[in-house]
Amino acid sequence: MRASSVNASVNASGSAAMNELGAAPPNLEEIVSAVDRAPTAASYLQAARDVSRLDPELAPVRVALLSSYTIDLLQPYLEVELARHRLGARLYVAPFNTAPQELLDPDSGCARHTPDVVFVAQRLEDVCPSLANEFLSLAPAQVESLIVAVVNQTVSRLEAFRSRSGAAIVVHSFTLPAHPLLGIAEIGATGSQTAAIRDLNGRLGQALKDLPGAHLLDCDRAAATVGYRSWYDDKLWHLARAPLSAAALTELARVQAAFVQAILGRQARCLVLDLDGTLWGGVVGEVGMPGIQLGDRFPGTAYQEFQHLLLALHGRGVLLAINSKNNPEDVAPVFEAHPHTVLRWEHFAARRINWCDKPQNMREIAAELNIGLDALAFFDDNPAERALMRQALPEVRTLEVPQDPIGYAQTLSRSRMFDRLNISDEDRRRGSMYQAQQARRVLQTSTTSLESFLESLEMRAEIEAASPKTLPRVLDLVQKTNQFNLTTRRHTASDLARMAGDPEWGVYALRLGDRFGDQGIVGVAIVRLQATAAQLDTLLLSCRVIGRNVETAFLAFLAGWARSRGALTFEGTFIPTAKNAPASDFFSRHAFSRVRSETDAVGWRLSLDADTVRGPAYITCVAPTGS
């Protein structure tokens, strides 16, 4: 029986039982807590049934699962793990061993499903039996030839699919066998099967980098996390061609859900932390800095390990903030002088250390960082504070924290709330960028007017056509920018690559620097030339630079670019959302005329006379030659 059929029957009987009992259905927190306590096949089937009742509350996402083996049993696991990220799955599970046909056939079930994300999972035994089953009989040249053939064949099929679909493609890497062919000699043997499979995975990953919107899921790392012997279910394999155990399905679904969240740009951006009992043991206001538990002896080692993980998150672009009921003067010495603290004041982009209501502090942190509440995650050892946060601000992602600090690091890592597809230079420098932002705020308070503040920043905008180097950052902004975004069109990586290579389109990135440092790429514009009109498809700015009139400098460049290519008018649309009010007056501020007004969109037009738009004198604009 297919997993979907099993799920349907469980849903039907379970719903009837629930109705008879009259019990209230569980909420999302209760559902995921249940599978975390007992991650079994039965608990996931039950949880998937419960998730179906929450579906209207979840953002829909269309996912296709293509494989060379029976993957139906993954369905309830993936539905629950996507729900954990507040996503409602619309799944298509391809028939057994039909991945090539699904990718190549324009009328396949996958194509008709019009997915947002496609997962391609294949066993090496199915794709290249010789490498899997006859490896010891192969000469090195034969191994090389087979690796090249597998990579080329895989990429060829994906390119055919890409020509018809903009869906993100996630290919599973090949896993190592549960039992190494050469036993304990495998690790040191020249030309071993282990080395060959890792070489194959590495080449496949490199090849996918050249295919827009394609990614490699490290399935072998997932298998190693579970344990190779625990990853496979021999009985299910022989009975139903379903090789994955319940533990494997749990881990795989969590990794897949993290990919979907990252592809959609829905990951959290800031981790807000309590202090006492979270970053160290004990109450610093009672025992003082010397008395807290933090250092080279248990339980201090557990807190220090957690801080090391937090520092690593900071290093890859996750913002850290403090929300603690404490006296600032008690806390300061820990970050300034404790010999075993890993985190320092400069690692926190915002701090609320007071005796105020924590949800109110959270609102202030979001406002200070200029991000939405749904971009915040909350980690607090106090269950009462967590319950209050969930009740007052359900959009904040409140993690369920274990009682034992030994579990803190694992809990945060396994949440995968902050996973990203790529880590850019901007991500790595985000912490220092927010420190510079604080310096700008200090400067602003000391100036007499907004105009003088903007002049004193000494801003320099560098505008360049999107390139393979900058496209990942462009995609990141397109996928996640909400506030200053005229249309919030979520173009895919393949869309952007196609437009960047089309002479009818202009895809531009704006990098901004000032006296306090380089802020990286903070703006994206996409324009299409149609006869004598230039259509503004997308214009967005990072929340870090809202209020500095950078959009005017960007528009001045775009207007000149369009005019140089024969455009007589510049046209655009504002599509209002719940979050993009900061961009609502963009067109009216820049002398556009309203030409169309509908319930969900307003159209605007500007005549491109000479010097129609001029950039602010206090922003030096550097544009590419020939643009």
Side-chain angles (χ1 to χ4, degrees):
M1 181 182 291
R2 288 174 64 100
S4 54
S5 301
V6 174
N7 200 12
S9 64
V10 172
N11 282 350
S13 61
S15 297
M18 184 70 77
N19 290 337
E20 290 173 7
L21 293 172
N27 60 34
L28 183 56
E29 297 295 335
E30 293 167 337
I31 293 170
V32 298
S33 293
V35 295
D36 287 344
R37 288 193 301 271
T40 63
S43 67
Y44 269 97
L45 282 169
Q46 171 73 30
R49 181 196 69 190
D50 293 333
V51 162
S52 67
R53 296 192 185 94
L54 301 176
D55 192 68
E57 305 172 20
L58 306 174
V61 59
R62 305 181 70 82
V63 178
L65 301 175
L66 317 181
S67 71
S68 65
Y69 53 86
T70 303
I71 203 170
D72 303 57
L73 295 175
L74 180 64
Q75 183 169 343
Y77 292 83
L78 186 53
E79 289 173 350
V80 173
E81 292 305 326
L82 285 172
R84 189 191 298 270
H85 296 293
R86 303 174 185 180
L87 296 169
R90 306 290 187 271
L91 294 183
Y92 168 74
V93 182
F96 171 78
N97 199 19
T98 58
Q101 299 93 308
E102 293 282 346
L103 291 170
L104 296 173
D105 183 359
D107 194 40
S108 68
C110 175
R112 292 194 301 272
H113 186 62
T114 60
D116 301 304
V117 184
V118 177
F119 289 98
V120 182
Q122 300 184 97
R123 298 170 71 242
L124 186 60
E125 293 86 341
D126 301 323
V127 174
C128 188
S130 296
L131 279 177
N133 304 322
E134 305 166 14
F135 184 83
L136 294 181
S137 67
L138 299 175
Q142 292 175 299
V143 172
E144 170 68 17
S145 177
L146 289 171
I147 289 176
V148 171
V150 171
V151 172
N152 289 344
Q153 183 183 64
T154 301
V155 171
S156 176
R157 290 168 178 168
L158 297 178
E159 287 176 339
F161 179 77
R162 169 59 69 237
S163 68
R164 301 184 304 273
S165 172
I169 304 168
V170 182
V171 180
H172 292 197
S173 71
F174 297 104
T175 58
L176 296 177
H179 307 284
L181 287 180
L182 301 179
I184 61 174
E186 182 86 8
I187 186 65
T190 301
S192 68
Q193 186 184 48
T194 294
I197 293 174
R198 287 175 174 164
D199 184 25
L200 170 57
N201 286 334
R203 295 197 205 185
L204 185 58
Q206 286 298 318
L208 293 179
K209 289 181 179 180
D210 296 328
L211 185 62
H215 314 280
L216 187 70
L217 184 156
D218 193 350
C219 201
D220 188 58
R221 166 57 74 106
T225 299
V226 172
Y228 290 110
R229 292 183 182 179
S230 299
W231 181 261
Y232 302 104
D233 189 314
D234 293 337
K235 187 174 183 179
L236 271 177
W237 167 246
H238 290 291
L239 290 176
R241 287 296 185 259
L244 301 182
S245 67
L249 292 170
T250 300
E251 182 66 18
L252 181 57
R254 287 180 173 176
V255 178
Q256 287 183 329
F259 263 91
V260 175
Q261 175 188 240
I263 287 166
L264 298 180
R266 294 175 61 90
Q267 61 268 56
R269 298 169 60 187
C270 176
L271 178 59
V272 184
L273 298 145
D274 177 46
L275 295 178
D276 294 330
T278 299
L279 293 191
W280 54 74
V283 179
V284 69
E286 296 178 358
V287 301
M289 183 190 74
I292 64 172
Q293 297 165 328
L294 178 63
D296 53 6
R297 289 188 298 176
F298 179 80
T301 51
Y303 293 106
Q304 191 176 55
E305 177 189 46
F306 185 52
Q307 287 199 25
H308 276 295
L309 174 60
L310 296 172
L311 183 62
L313 288 176
H314 176 272
R316 71 190 213 199
V318 176
L319 299 176
L320 302 180
I322 295 173
N323 187 352
S324 173
K325 289 183 177 177
N326 248 310
N327 295 317
E329 59 271 20
D330 294 329
V331 169
V334 178
F335 293 111
E336 294 171 354
H338 196 285
H340 298 297
T341 187
V342 176
L343 298 174
R344 302 288 180 181
W345 278 133
E346 61 265 24
H347 295 127
F348 297 97
R351 303 193 292 263
R352 292 297 182 277
I353 303 171
N354 51 42
W355 297 97
C356 298
D357 177 71
K358 285 196 175 184
Q360 179 56 36
N361 280 343
M362 195 69 82
R363 294 185 186 95
E364 294 178 7
I365 289 170
E368 179 179 337
L369 300 179
N370 207 6
I371 57 179
L373 287 167
D374 58 354
L376 301 178
F378 182 53
F379 198 104
D380 192 317
D381 68 299
N382 189 329
E385 295 289 2
R386 297 196 301 269
L388 176 62
M389 190 65 68
R390 290 189 181 108
Q391 181 180 26
L393 298 175
E395 56 269 61
V396 171
R397 309 178 206 203
T398 301
L399 288 96
E400 190 57 30
V401 178
Q403 292 183 355
D404 191 337
I406 289 176
Y408 285 6
Q410 180 175 324
T411 296
L412 183 57
S413 295
R414 287 182 65 80
S415 76
R416 298 188 178 275
M417 288 183 177
F418 303 98
D419 280 7
R420 307 172 67 86
L421 296 173
N422 300 285
I423 307 298
S424 66
D425 290 339
E426 281 83 1
D427 294 324
R428 293 187 178 93
R429 293 187 291 109
R430 183 165 289 118
S432 61
M433 288 179 182
Y434 272 86
Q435 290 180 43
Q437 192 78 336
Q438 291 173 350
R440 292 183 189 96
R441 282 195 288 269
V442 171
L443 173 64
Q444 186 170 7
T445 60
S446 66
T447 53
T448 57
S449 69
L450 177 61
E451 188 81 7
S452 61
F453 165 66
L454 295 175
E455 289 177 352
S456 66
L457 284 178
E458 301 171 12
M459 288 181 282
R460 176 185 174 90
E462 298 179 6
I463 301 170
E464 60 179 310
S467 65
K469 182 179 179 180
T470 59
L471 272 176
R473 173 59 177 167
V474 169
L475 175 64
D476 186 41
L477 287 170
V478 167
Q479 289 291 333
K480 75 180 185 183
T481 303
N482 293 308
Q483 295 186 59
F484 198 101
N485 192 332
L486 297 179
T487 59
T488 59
R489 292 180 176 129
R490 305 303 192 192
H491 294 299
T492 65
S494 60
D495 293 334
L496 293 172
R498 174 182 52 80
M499 291 186 289
D502 188 332
E504 287 189 1
W505 291 83
V507 181
Y508 286 96
L510 183 147
R511 178 183 295 273
L512 187 69
D514 62 20
R515 60 185 284 189
F516 294 101
D518 179 16
Q519 294 192 266
I521 295 175
V522 296
V524 173
I526 303 174
V527 185
R528 186 179 187 182
L529 294 172
Q530 293 182 303
T532 58
Q535 299 283 344
L536 185 60
D537 174 275
T538 296
L539 181 67
L540 60 85
L541 293 176
S542 167
C543 59
R544 297 198 304 270
V545 299
I546 292 176
R548 297 198 218 166
N549 293 327
V550 176
E551 65 274 18
T552 302
F554 211 171
L555 178 61
F557 162 77
L558 296 170
W561 175 85
R563 190 167 50 244
S564 70
R565 281 155 178 74
L568 301 178
T569 59
F570 203 88
E571 300 176 0
T573 303
F574 177 71
I575 302 175
T577 70
K579 297 182 178 181
N580 70 348
S584 61
D585 65 346
F586 171 79
F587 290 112
S588 60
R589 281 195 293 113
H590 294 97
F592 281 71
S593 299
R594 184 185 301 219
V595 295
R596 176 174 53 86
S597 184
E598 300 172 1
T599 303
D600 58 351
V602 180
W604 298 83
R605 178 181 296 137
L606 177 70
S607 176
L608 288 178
D609 301 325
D611 296 327
T612 301
V613 182
R614 294 186 180 182
Y618 46 75
I619 299 179
T620 301
C621 191
V622 179
T625 303
S627 295

